[in-house]
Structure formats: C-alpha cells, structure tokens
Amino acid sequence: MRHPRFTLSSFLILTLSLLSCQAPPEAPRPNLIVIFCDDLGYGDLASFGHPTIRTPNLDRMAQEGQKWTHFYSAASVCTPSRAALLTGRLPVRNGMMSPKSRVLFPDSASGIPENEVTLAEALRAEGYATACVGKWHLGHLPQYLPTNNGFDSYFGIPYSNDMDQTRKGSTRELVKTARIEYWNVPLLRDQEVVERPADQRTITKRYSEEAVRFIRENRERPFFLYLAHSLPHVPLFASEEFLGTSKRGLYGDVVEEIDHGVGQIMQALTDLGIAERSLVVFTSDNGPWLPYKEHGGSAGLLREGKGATWEGGMREPTIFWWPGKLDSGVVMEMGATLDLFSTFCEIAGAKVPADRIMDSYDLGPVLFGTGESPRKSMFFYRESKLYAVRLDEFKAHFITKPVYTGRTEAETHHDPPLLYHLGRDPGEQYDVAHLHPDVIQSIEKLVAVHQSEMVFGEDRLAQQSPDARR
Amino acid sequence: MRHPRFTLSSFLILTLSLLSCQAPPEAPRPNLIVIFCDDLGYGDLASFGHPTIRTPNLDRMAQEGQKWTHFYSAASVCTPSRAALLTGRLPVRNGMMSPKSRVLFPDSASGIPENEVTLAEALRAEGYATACVGKWHLGHLPQYLPTNNGFDSYFGIPYSNDMDQTRKGSTRELVKTARIEYWNVPLLRDQEVVERPADQRTITKRYSEEAVRFIRENRERPFFLYLAHSLPHVPLFASEEFLGTSKRGLYGDVVEEIDHGVGQIMQALTDLGIAERSLVVFTSDNGPWLPYKEHGGSAGLLREGKGATWEGGMREPTIFWWPGKLDSGVVMEMGATLDLFSTFCEIAGAKVPADRIMDSYDLGPVLFGTGESPRKSMFFYRESKLYAVRLDEFKAHFITKPVYTGRTEAETHHDPPLLYHLGRDPGEQYDVAHLHPDVIQSIEKLVAVHQSEMVFGEDRLAQQSPDARR
C-alpha cells in the first residue's frame, strides 16, 4: 500500500518546499496535462500529414504551440510505455517490460511496483490535485490502480479495450463488426466498477467531459491531469455525433472525436482564464497497429508500427501547448514520454527521485527557448532486450524481429548493426553502417555504459493467476 | 508561329471584354501565381508531415490559406505534367504523352503543339503581364519556348537539370558528387542562352529573385507568373546560404531554399500592398524520384513515387493562398493542376477555349466556399495508356507496372481492377474490389464515355533528331 508512505513523505516535502519559497510570493504553479492516445500513428493527424483525418483542434494546438517531430514513447506496446511515462524510467528497470509477455492481461497478478514514484505522486507531494482519466494498464488489482499510485481520482478502464473477450474467434475478425458486449471490459470510478461492459461508444466523449469537469473543479489550485484515451486502439467505437462522419472511416471518426475533446479542453482552459498557466502535452503510447489494416493507424513515412523498434513503432505525433509561454514552431530535437517526469517536476518545483537511476530529461530548455534538448540518445527495448539505440541523428539496430505476424518469428542479430541517419533518411531505408564505423563505435560505447549500469527489475508482466482475474 | 494569331484574337477579345464591362468600374483583376516544384514528394513539407525538412513559409501559407490534400498532377513525369497544367487538357490529347518516350530530351525535335492554347495565352489575351521563370520542358526549339507560347518573358532552363550529361557513368552515381559542369544545361533569357552550363548552385535563388522582380515591375497591372523551379529534381544544388543547413541533408537544403523563395514572394506581395488581390498556388509536377534514395523525396504515407500511377506518383502537396479571400483550412476535395486553367480564367475573366475538349474544372466553389469541387474523377495515364481512374473516394487500377527499376518491366492487367478506398486507405494497401462491384461498374461506365470521346494527339515526344540538339 502506498498511501501511508506518501502521506508522511509528502508532508515533509511540502514543509520543506514551503520553507524554501517564503521570500517573494510566487505566481500560481502551472497546471500540467497529458493527453495520451492509444495506438495513434505518427502520421494520423492532419498536421503530421494525414490526408483524410480532420484534426483542427490539434492542428491549432500545434500551430500555437510546439510540434515535436522526434518525440518517442519508451516502448512499442502499451503497458511498458505507460509505466515509462509515469515513472520517468525505462520499463526494464522496474519489471514493467518482460521477455515473456508484451503487456498486462486481465489475469495478471501484478502491476506497477509499489516502490516506484509516479509522476502523480511527485506532483501531489507538492500540492497538486491529480486525476487519471482513461486507460490505466499498469495493474487492475486494487493496489496497482491509479488511486493507489498518486492520483486523487480515477475514471476509466484498467486494461486494453480489446481484452476480456466474450466471443470466440480472432480479434481481427471481431473488430470488424464490433459490438460493446464482445468485450467484458469494466469501467471504474476510483476503485469501483461502475459499468460492465464499458460502453465504449461513448467512452471518448465521457473521458473528455470528465477531464473538463476536473479542470473546472480545480481551477483555483495547480493540477495534474493524465487523460489516457483508450482509443484508437481496436475495437474502434465512436459516439453518434462522430460515427460515419470521417473520410477515413471509423478510425477517422475516433481520432476526430479525440480531437474534438482536445478542443474542449483548450476551450475550458481559455474560458477559465487559466490557459496561460497550463501546459498541455498531446502524444501517444506507441505506433499504429498495422495488422488491423483500416482499423489501425498510419505511421506516415516512418517504418513499421506498434510492436516494432523501427521508428514507426515508437515515434509519436507530439504537441506541447502553453499559450504565451512556448516558442511556437516545429521542434526537431529529441524528446520522450520518459522526459515528462523531469520536465513537469521542474516546472512544478517537485522532486525527482534521487535514490534511483532516472531516464528522464528536463525538456525546459527547448520549451522555453533557452537551449538544446538534453536528450541526445534513446534506447529501444523490446521484450526486455536492447534492440536499437539512437545517438543524435543516427540509429543503430542490433536486433530486428518482425511483429504481429501471428507466427513465432526469429530475431535477426546485426553485427555490425544496421545504421540509419534519421535526419536524411527518416524512413530507415538506407543502411549507412559501412560509411560510419566511428558512429557505430560511439553508439557501442554508449551501450556499454548503459548496460554496465542496468539492473533489471523483477518481471511484473509474466505473473499470471486465474484468481487475479477481474 | 503563334504571335500574329495571338495579337489579332487578343485584340478582338480585349475589345469585347472592354465593351462588356463598361458599367461599374471593376476592382483590379487578381494576380495569378503558380509556384511549381519538380519531383517534390507529397510528404516533403513540414505541414504535409515531413519530420526533418523546415518549411516555415509554406507552413504559414497553408495555415493562412488552403492546404489541399487530394490535388493531382496529370502525369507522373515532367513533360506531360507541365503540358497539362498549361493547357488544361490531358497530355494524351495533344501528343505530350507518348508510349515511346516519357519526356522530351535535348535531341527532341518537337514540343507543345502550336494550336494548343496555353494558360499564359488565355490570360495575356485579357491584358495580363505574363512571365515564365524556371524549367520549361515543353520543347527547347525556338517555336516551342515560353515566349512563343503566351509568356512575355522567360528565364530558365529548357529541359531537366540532369540532361545533357558531360560525364560518362550512370546519373545515379553522378548525382552523389554533383558538380555543375557534369551537365551542360543552358540557361535562357527569353530565347537566348545566357549561361552554359547553368550554374545550378544559385539557380533557385535566382529564380526567386526573378519572380520578385517581375512582381515588383508589374504591381500596377494584373499579372500571371509561372515559377517552375527546376529542383528538387536531381542533381541537387543549393546556394551557399542553404548548403549543409538542413537536417534532411542536401535534399532538405534545396527544399528549404525553395521555401525561402516562397516567403520572399509572399513578402513582396504584402509589401507592395497587392497580396489581397493575388492568388498563389504552390504544387509540384509529380511525385518523388524514389530510386535516388536520399537525393529523392518522400511521398509520405502514399504509395510509390514518380513514374507510377499509384498515389505517390501523382498526388502533390498543394497550397492555395489568397489573403482575405479564401476560407482557410484543410481541403479534402479533389483538384488537379489541370484545373488551374479554368480556375484562373474564371478569376481573370478570361476565355476557356470552347472548340476542344477541356479536362479542367473551375475550383472557385471550393476556394470561395460556395460549393463542392466540380472535380469528381481523375484519369491516371502512363505512356498514353489509361492505367487507373479515381471516382469520388474510390480508385481502380486497370494496369500496374513497376517504375524506374532499370529493367524492362511487364504491365500487369487487372480484371476486375484493383480497387482502393482512398479516404479510408490513402496508402492503397487494401484491395476492396470484391466488396464493391457496383463501384467498379460505375468506374467502367465513366471509362467507356471517356474513351469514346478520346482522340489521341500526334506523338510529340518520340520525335527525335540529332539536328534538334541544343
């Protein structure tokens, strides 16, 4: 149980921080909002090149804010990606990535470790109101739920919307004629199931409404909102208002409904007069789920999608918005969901845990135009193995393996690694390893240091038990 | 020779139009500008999804104007594409597409037919000042040059920048270490060679400067400017100011220099106070030349590139800009370079030839928010054969053939045709022919009507002669 520990430590931290900032009265601390999509592809927003999905709100957000074109999730599937965002640590460090299971399932017996400090915990310790709305997927048993991990409240589904299937047959077939009752996914408020199966047709709309309500109710104090949409992960559902309206079909309907919700959030912040002290970040957990064809998204010109350590699997369409505060424009420097931890803590004056290795950089210099991104590298893990590493503009693939083919596929080890220049060749098409042995050497040195410090956490994803089933 | 005919007819038309508009004094007629790139891919602008090419001017143009995501060139290679833009007619109608030669070459003995009415001729007949700046590629012999086809002046190269090679070896090898003297391409002013080889390192910069000069000199009268950049067609060159500055490498340098020129043009129009009576259209002649790898562009999520009748070969990143006049936003309706003829003539009050079949639609309803695009279909020809047809959201491929593989490739005929829903599947990945026999029937009917009216023009591209060599 985390609560007792939190209360004590938060009291101490709060006291210390109150003591340290007695002098001039400070401006109210900024609100922090993450809007996190599920399986949205790099190429799925109009401003990221999609020709038939309308995202006017996100386009405006990108136009007024910063459009990041080299922003990564820390894993190419759901559970480890979310763990990384909320802890600022690579999921291999805390057992939230596993060689045996890609993600958590309804019969998983475990979840996010108790000794991990979540971003919500760090911010709540500084007096932030915290809410989690949407998909969790870091453990569905009570001790792993958001309200035991730093969030004051929770409204959403505990795992993926395609889990707990009630019909026989492949998910690929079921999603084509999806009905909500094909999946027995529970909808929770805090720790209670309030609807089962969750009515996914209205879920995006309800998440956005819940987010706006939380914003309104907390307009007088700093807050952290983690809005993790459960869509456009298959099965796809949209509310009546959006169903059948997008040229992109059902997938487009879903993305356009999410975009609409983003517009509602921006509007609420503006109407309440708090937009200028609110940072909103929009991104996604991993790339598009390509085997689902029209029901999956598009990575644009990037290679591959969800599950892969190619760019399409882990580079996300990302927007930072903070009216009057950010240098607006296109940002081509590197950032990652891992970095939201340090960036938010820096902005909020919160503590980044000092007793453990963090994989999180403060992106403030880029946001506020004072310097370069401190992130110069990115480690691409899959199933707890280091598959690829990016250093500056170059990415080396040491291992590659096909994804979601339905067969057990073999790894291919590359020595020398495949090497791509992501600036000149963003689609990872032209191996230039033979031209840059020096770069490979630099990357190998980086890997050696990284691996010498790596301690793998106990595997949390492979622990399954029928009793755990919710 | 076209000049005498033009003078007489223009006098008559001018007289008639003066008579017809005596009543209230009209606002000055709008200026019309086309900025046409060479081999720029659908995905090569930041606003169309490229992650490492900076195009702030084009992004602003798209933001203030209309970003068209379904705008086509009429051919997937240079000569026929340009012929279509300037005549509003499919190039098979006037011999500017051939089963024997993709484009015109330095020893081609022919060019655009004398009896074709060019957009410049139609607009000059209404008193427009007309200038062609950049690559022509509709015949390099005097009678085929811009100044004999409706343009008051010309400054540019008469054919592609990779032609008239002075070194042995494959172009693919030569472009890697390109020097201007590897290609003996002439630079013309009107009909005179003023530089040979053209210094391609400064050519983009000089084209933009020439365009701005023409705009300044003609600010008091309506003008038509056709600025056809000869880049980013290989070999790539950029001026010192841009060389080595883009994350995308040399290709990015080139595109960013073109973008800079677009900014200069927008700025000149604004500074002169004529932006609000100037329509600027930015687009490209065909898709990216993929076999050139890092020296070629990207079609983003679209399939294939230059030479192909897949979307990547003929869909272009297109922007319409006219401050204060256009409903700004993303336009997902269909348009084509063919349509610039009717659209511009309608805006200018000029005559569209009535004595021949035109393939041009007035896009005014979409530009000015009064209705839908009249273009509901698109015919995709290659080497004078009808390969594919788009009708509304569906595209049927009757023939496909690989491109630029260096081998003679066989055509594959498809019966039933391959069918793609371009709204739901913009990447043409999922053939849905079996689901929509009715759509195929509608397309086949459209094809039957189209073919019953088709008269193929005499082949202009296959006529070669060593004497013609310039």
Side-chain angles (χ1 to χ4, degrees):
Chain A
M1 293 298 287
R2 185 155 314 161
H3 234 191
R5 186 178 63 79
F6 157 74
T7 312
L8 184 64
S9 69
S10 75
F11 173 75
L12 287 171
I13 291 167
L14 197 65
T15 312
L16 282 168
S17 61
L18 283 172
L19 287 173
S20 69
C21 61
Q22 268 187 341
E26 285 189 73
R29 279 167 306 161
N31 305 309
L32 300 161
I33 301 175
V34 179
I35 305 174
F36 203 48
C37 289
D38 198 333
D39 293 359
L40 183 73
Y42 183 81
D44 280 331
L45 308 182
S47 33
F48 281 79
H50 203 281
T52 59
I53 301 179
R54 284 197 186 278
T55 52
N57 296 292
L58 286 159
D59 298 351
R60 178 164 71 84
M61 189 177 165
Q63 197 174 298
E64 295 174 359
Q66 290 183 348
K67 171 178 154 186
W68 286 61
T69 62
H70 294 250
F71 197 91
Y72 293 97
S73 62
S76 62
V77 291
C78 189
T79 297
S81 170
R82 282 150 208 268
L85 186 154
L86 285 175
T87 63
R89 284 154 53 79
L90 285 170
V92 283
R93 297 197 196 277
N94 47 39
M96 294 301 278
M97 181 179 265
S98 157
K100 294 180 195 146
S101 179
R102 286 192 178 116
V103 296
L104 290 167
F105 288 91
D107 59 355
S108 292
S110 190
I112 187 166
E114 192 188 337
N115 65 354
E116 285 295 322
V117 179
T118 71
L119 182 50
E121 286 167 340
L123 294 168
R124 187 157 73 167
E126 295 301 317
Y128 273 66
T130 58
C132 176
V133 178
K135 173 171 166 180
W136 180 240
H137 215 179
L138 298 175
H140 65 273
L141 298 178
Q143 63 271 38
Y144 304 115
L145 284 176
T147 45
N148 279 319
N149 279 284
F151 290 100
D152 301 335
S153 66
Y154 175 52
F155 178 71
I157 64 173
Y159 36 71
S160 291
N161 62 329
D162 67 336
M163 292 180 171
D164 217 350
Q165 206 164 294
T166 63
R167 291 290 186 283
K168 287 197 193 304
S170 81
T171 309
R172 290 191 199 176
E173 283 309 307
L174 282 187
V175 300
K176 291 182 187 168
T177 54
R179 299 172 65 116
I180 52 162
E181 62 268 25
Y182 291 180
W183 292 273
N184 191 32
V185 180
L187 180 70
L188 276 65
R189 182 164 293 280
D190 298 333
Q191 301 194 25
E192 302 306 316
V193 175
V194 293
E195 189 176 291
R196 190 164 193 169
D199 188 343
Q200 297 197 46
R201 294 168 301 192
T202 55
I203 208 162
T204 298
K205 183 194 181 80
R206 287 189 285 165
Y207 288 160
S208 295
E209 286 168 357
E210 181 81 8
V212 168
R213 186 160 46 241
F214 171 77
I215 291 169
R216 286 190 195 287
E217 285 170 2
N218 292 280
R219 61 180 175 276
E220 304 291 352
R221 59 187 284 212
F223 60 78
F224 168 54
L225 169 62
Y226 173 56
L227 167 55
H229 281 291
S230 34
L231 296 169
H233 190 296
V234 294
L236 301 171
F237 292 98
S239 69
E240 262 186 44
E241 196 184 339
F242 286 87
L243 201 61
T245 62
S246 171
K247 276 194 189 289
R248 177 58 176 80
L250 183 52
Y251 186 88
D253 298 343
V254 171
V255 176
E256 292 181 17
E257 185 159 18
I258 289 172
D259 174 77
H260 180 72
V262 170
Q264 289 175 313
I265 287 170
M266 289 162 73
Q267 193 60 50
L269 294 169
T270 305
D271 290 348
L272 294 168
I274 56 174
E276 291 183 9
R277 57 170 204 266
S278 299
L279 170 61
V280 186
V281 183
F282 177 91
T283 188
S284 181
D285 67 337
N286 50 244
W289 214 354
L290 301 176
Y292 284 91
K293 300 184 175 177
E294 292 178 18
H295 287 255
S298 163
L301 85 173
L302 302 182
R303 186 163 170 176
E304 268 283 0
K306 176 173 177 171
T309 44
W310 298 101
E311 291 290 293
M314 292 172 61
R315 205 192 298 186
E316 313 304 331
T318 302
I319 303 168
F320 283 71
W321 184 78
W322 189 349
K325 281 288 276 188
L326 305 186
D327 280 351
S328 68
V330 178
V331 172
M332 296 183 181
E333 295 191 64
M334 236 189 289
T337 53
L338 287 162
D339 303 329
L340 297 182
F341 198 109
S342 291
T343 305
F344 282 16
C345 284
E346 180 65 27
I347 290 171
K351 298 268 182 307
V352 175
D355 63 347
R356 60 197 76 195
I357 292 179
M358 297 294 292
D359 301 289
S360 185
Y361 295 96
D362 170 21
L363 301 176
V366 184
L367 297 180
F368 309 121
T370 59
E372 288 185 0
S373 173
R375 177 170 287 285
K376 303 296 180 197
S377 64
M378 186 71 204
F379 296 93
F380 298 77
Y381 277 90
R382 177 172 164 185
E383 291 146 31
S384 296
K385 276 191 200 164
L386 186 60
Y387 269 53
V389 176
R390 176 171 177 180
L391 175 61
D392 297 319
E393 293 299 305
F394 287 96
K395 180 172 171 187
H397 292 261
F398 297 95
I399 312 176
T400 54
K401 189 164 88 167
V403 275
Y404 292 117
T405 58
R407 283 165 288 137
T408 308
E409 296 279 357
E411 290 176 345
T412 307
H413 289 250
H414 304 277
D415 185 13
L418 304 174
L419 189 76
Y420 300 94
H421 186 289
L422 295 180
R424 295 199 276 271
D425 175 23
E428 293 172 295
Q429 296 294 310
Y430 316 119
D431 180 14
V432 290
H434 59 294
L435 297 175
H436 302 284
D438 53 322
V439 172
I440 292 176
Q441 213 170 22
S442 300
I443 292 177
E444 282 171 344
K445 272 187 201 163
L446 178 71
V447 169
V449 173
H450 175 76
Q451 289 183 328
S452 72
E453 296 169 350
M454 177 57 68
V455 179
F456 288 84
E458 189 201 356
D459 186 342
R460 293 274 172 158
L461 307 193
Q463 303 172 29
Q464 282 172 298
S465 148
D467 300 340
R469 194 163 187 92
R470 178 158 201 159
Chain B
M1 295 296 289
R2 186 158 309 162
H3 234 189
R5 183 178 65 78
F6 157 72
T7 313
L8 184 64
S9 68
S10 74
F11 173 75
L12 288 171
I13 293 166
L14 196 66
T15 312
L16 283 169
S17 61
L18 283 172
L19 287 172
S20 69
C21 61
Q22 267 185 342
E26 285 189 73
R29 280 166 305 160
N31 305 310
L32 300 160
I33 300 175
V34 179
I35 305 174
F36 202 47
C37 288
D38 198 333
D39 293 359
L40 183 74
Y42 183 81
D44 281 331
L45 308 183
S47 32
F48 282 78
H50 203 282
T52 59
I53 301 179
R54 285 199 185 277
T55 52
N57 296 290
L58 286 158
D59 298 351
R60 179 165 71 85
M61 188 177 164
Q63 196 174 300
E64 294 173 1
Q66 290 182 348
K67 171 178 153 186
W68 285 61
T69 63
H70 294 251
F71 197 91
Y72 292 99
S73 63
S76 63
V77 290
C78 190
T79 298
S81 170
R82 282 150 209 267
L85 185 154
L86 285 176
T87 64
R89 283 153 54 78
L90 285 170
V92 283
R93 298 200 196 276
N94 48 39
M96 295 300 279
M97 182 179 264
S98 156
K100 293 178 195 149
S101 179
R102 285 190 178 118
V103 295
L104 290 167
F105 288 93
D107 59 354
S108 292
S110 190
I112 187 167
E114 193 187 337
N115 64 355
E116 284 296 322
V117 179
T118 71
L119 182 50
E121 287 168 341
L123 294 169
R124 187 156 73 169
E126 295 301 317
Y128 272 66
T130 57
C132 175
V133 177
K135 173 170 165 180
W136 180 239
H137 217 180
L138 298 175
H140 65 275
L141 298 177
Q143 63 272 35
Y144 304 116
L145 285 174
T147 45
N148 279 319
N149 279 285
F151 290 100
D152 301 335
S153 66
Y154 175 52
F155 178 71
I157 64 173
Y159 38 71
S160 291
N161 63 330
D162 67 335
M163 291 180 173
D164 217 350
Q165 205 163 297
T166 64
R167 291 289 186 285
K168 288 197 193 305
S170 80
T171 309
R172 289 189 202 178
E173 282 309 308
L174 282 187
V175 300
K176 290 183 187 168
T177 55
R179 300 171 63 118
I180 51 162
E181 62 269 25
Y182 292 179
W183 292 273
N184 192 32
V185 180
L187 180 70
L188 276 65
R189 183 163 294 281
D190 298 333
Q191 301 194 23
E192 302 306 314
V193 176
V194 292
E195 189 176 290
R196 190 164 194 170
D199 188 342
Q200 297 196 45
R201 295 169 301 192
T202 55
I203 208 161
T204 298
K205 181 193 181 80
R206 287 188 285 165
Y207 287 159
S208 295
E209 286 168 356
E210 181 82 8
V212 168
R213 187 159 45 241
F214 171 78
I215 290 169
R216 286 191 194 285
E217 284 170 3
N218 291 280
R219 61 180 176 275
E220 302 292 351
R221 58 187 286 212
F223 60 78
F224 168 53
L225 168 62
Y226 173 57
L227 167 55
H229 281 290
S230 32
L231 297 168
H233 189 297
V234 294
L236 302 172
F237 291 98
S239 68
E240 263 186 44
E241 197 184 338
F242 286 87
L243 201 62
T245 62
S246 170
K247 275 193 191 287
R248 176 60 174 79
L250 184 53
Y251 186 88
D253 298 342
V254 170
V255 176
E256 293 181 17
E257 186 159 15
I258 289 171
D259 175 77
H260 179 72
V262 170
Q264 290 175 313
I265 288 169
M266 290 162 73
Q267 193 60 48
L269 294 168
T270 305
D271 290 347
L272 294 168
I274 57 174
E276 289 183 8
R277 56 172 206 266
S278 299
L279 169 61
V280 185
V281 183
F282 177 92
T283 187
S284 181
D285 66 337
N286 49 246
W289 213 355
L290 301 177
Y292 284 91
K293 301 183 173 175
E294 292 178 18
H295 287 256
S298 163
L301 84 172
L302 302 181
R303 186 162 170 177
E304 268 282 0
K306 177 172 177 172
T309 44
W310 298 100
E311 290 291 291
M314 291 171 62
R315 205 193 296 185
E316 314 303 330
T318 302
I319 303 167
F320 283 71
W321 184 78
W322 189 348
K325 281 288 277 189
L326 305 187
D327 280 350
S328 68
V330 178
V331 173
M332 297 183 180
E333 295 191 65
M334 236 190 290
T337 53
L338 287 162
D339 301 330
L340 296 182
F341 198 109
S342 291
T343 306
F344 282 15
C345 284
E346 180 65 28
I347 289 171
K351 298 265 181 309
V352 175
D355 62 347
R356 61 197 73 195
I357 292 179
M358 298 295 291
D359 302 289
S360 185
Y361 296 95
D362 171 21
L363 301 176
V366 185
L367 297 180
F368 310 121
T370 59
E372 287 184 2
S373 172
R375 176 170 290 284
K376 302 295 180 199
S377 63
M378 186 72 204
F379 296 93
F380 298 77
Y381 277 91
R382 177 173 165 185
E383 292 147 29
S384 296
K385 277 192 198 163
L386 186 61
Y387 268 53
V389 175
R390 176 171 176 180
L391 176 62
D392 297 319
E393 294 298 307
F394 287 96
K395 180 172 172 186
H397 291 261
F398 297 96
I399 313 176
T400 54
K401 189 164 87 167
V403 274
Y404 293 117
T405 58
R407 285 165 286 135
T408 308
E409 295 279 357
E411 289 175 346
T412 307
H413 289 250
H414 305 277
D415 185 13
L418 304 174
L419 190 75
Y420 300 94
H421 187 290
L422 296 181
R424 293 199 277 270
D425 173 25
E428 293 171 294
Q429 296 294 310
Y430 316 119
D431 180 13
V432 290
H434 60 292
L435 298 174
H436 302 284
D438 52 322
V439 172
I440 292 176
Q441 213 170 24
S442 300
I443 291 178
E444 283 171 343
K445 271 187 201 164
L446 178 71
V447 169
V449 173
H450 175 75
Q451 289 183 326
S452 72
E453 295 169 350
M454 178 56 69
V455 179
F456 287 85
E458 188 201 356
D459 186 342
R460 292 273 172 159
L461 306 193
Q463 302 172 29
Q464 281 172 300
S465 147
D467 302 339
R469 195 163 185 91
R470 175 158 204 162

